[in-house]
Amino acid sequence: MSDVLDASPYDALLLLSFGGPEGPDDVVPFLENVTRGRGIPKERLKEVGQHYFQFGGVSPINDQNRALLDALREDFAEHGLDLPVYWGNRNWAPYLTDTLRDMVRDGRRRILVLATSAYASYSGCRQYRENLADALATLEKEGLELPKIDKLRHYFNHPGFVEPMVDGVIRSLDGLPEDVRDGAHIAFCTHSIPTAAADTSGPVEAHGDGGAYVAQHLDVARLIADAVRERTGVDHPWQLVYQSRSGAPHIPWLEPDICDHLEERKAAGVPAVVMAPIGFVSDHMEVLYDLDTEATAKAEELGLPVRRSATVGDDPRFAAAVRELVVERAAAESGRDVTRCALGALGPSHDLCPVGCCPARAPRPAAAGADSPYA
């Protein structure tokens, strides 16, 4: 990277996330936003919302995004990167459209987007791009001048994302009883998605069994497992597993589920398990409930010692990685020399999502890609 941190032609960074309720009264309206268009009755949403009500109706994701915003702004300021950072959500305040409107009124015309999803998938990438297109369409109807928007590449294999997770797994192993530590199994956890969505994730050439979604997670899991072996001298067995399945039961989703996996590992004689949520940027509700509550309860029922390692969150190394990705993309856009940092076998991801990447079941306009109507 250049010694001069130049973000031009970009004049702002947008942190784009999922959003979550911040009190009991928010839970059902939030879930209505998440499930809009699916015709799910309000009573069913109240049942689903019990996960949130158990924690006072508050999702931790918003506070975690605030902490990440602070970390990004601090890192940018310390390293002389003059780039304001905004925040918008898909499903709760601050809403994406409102934030983009504020950015336009603030004079922002070239915007980079950091999505809080590190991997390729419809829900983790293209759906955010569709949300951006929807927001731009609204601003266009309001007669506002539209900014040009680009999205930072997938950062699943950036050292600033991987290395904090390596530390988290090692801390979790150290937290296990000494007599079971060396024999511990590592369950690398991520959000399950429909197998059809996984198979078509990433560019067309990556489509196939599991697509880019599974391939990218497996690459990260290998990186972490290898680093743990190098630092501890112990070669821990591991497997990629899934959590947070939803939707109709007759539709195939990625398996095995973490709770089923814990049962299988116990039956196989594994003495302990570390759950490593590599598919998540922060400790939001899927981590807090599905792992810390549900999976941990299953492990206790089985008499299986278990620890859950930390997500990246607002780790300074992740903030530094975002800075590097911003400067990298700015250099590429300006025709300057660029070094793309990536670990593992897959190399750095594409800057521009190509046509056919992570397709939706029903085609919709998506910004910040080769097929964007807002070039």
Side-chain angles (χ1 to χ4, degrees), residues 5 13 67-83 85 314-327:
L5 298 188
L13 176 69
L68 179 56
L69 285 169
D70 289 343
L72 292 173
R73 289 165 177 157
E74 181 179 349
D75 179 272
F76 288 8
E78 286 180 356
H79 292 85
L81 182 61
D82 184 16
L83 193 70
V85 186
D314 59 346
D315 189 291
R317 289 168 292 183
F318 182 48
V322 174
R323 168 174 37 89
E324 291 177 7
L325 289 167
V326 167
V327 175

Side-chain angles (χ1 to χ4, degrees), residues 12-19 61-73 76 83-90 92 94-96 99-100 103 111-117 128 132 150 152 155 281-282 313-314 318 322 326:
L13 176 69
L14 169 62
L15 177 66
L16 178 55
S17 193
F18 193 80
I61 193 171
N62 287 332
D63 279 345
Q64 290 161 3
N65 280 327
R66 293 182 182 102
L68 179 56
L69 285 169
D70 289 343
L72 292 173
R73 289 165 177 157
F76 288 8
L83 193 70
V85 186
Y86 294 74
W87 171 34
N89 289 325
R90 173 188 294 171
W92 201 249
Y95 288 104
L96 168 60
T99 299
L100 271 183
M103 296 177 80
I111 297 170
L112 264 177
V113 173
L114 167 68
T116 54
S117 175
Y128 281 116
L132 286 165
D150 292 320
L152 288 173
Y155 47 84
V281 171
S282 64
D314 59 346
F318 182 48
V322 174
V326 167

Side-chain angles (χ1 to χ4, degrees), residues 5 34 36 61 116 154 196-197 238 246 266 281 314 363-364:
L5 298 188
V34 173
R36 185 180 292 113
I61 193 171
T116 54
H154 301 302
W238 61 269
S246 62
K266 176 64 176 180
V281 171
D314 59 346
R364 290 177 55 199

Side-chain angles (χ1 to χ4, degrees), residues 314-367:
D314 59 346
D315 189 291
R317 289 168 292 183
F318 182 48
V322 174
R323 168 174 37 89
E324 291 177 7
L325 289 167
V326 167
V327 175
E328 168 200 298
R329 183 62 181 272
E333 285 294 305
S334 301
R336 303 191 296 270
D337 290 338
V338 59
T339 299
R340 301 179 183 274
C341 195
L343 301 173
L346 299 180
S349 186
H350 49 262
D351 278 341
L352 192 68
C353 292
V355 175
C357 192
C358 304
R361 288 192 300 270
R364 290 177 55 199

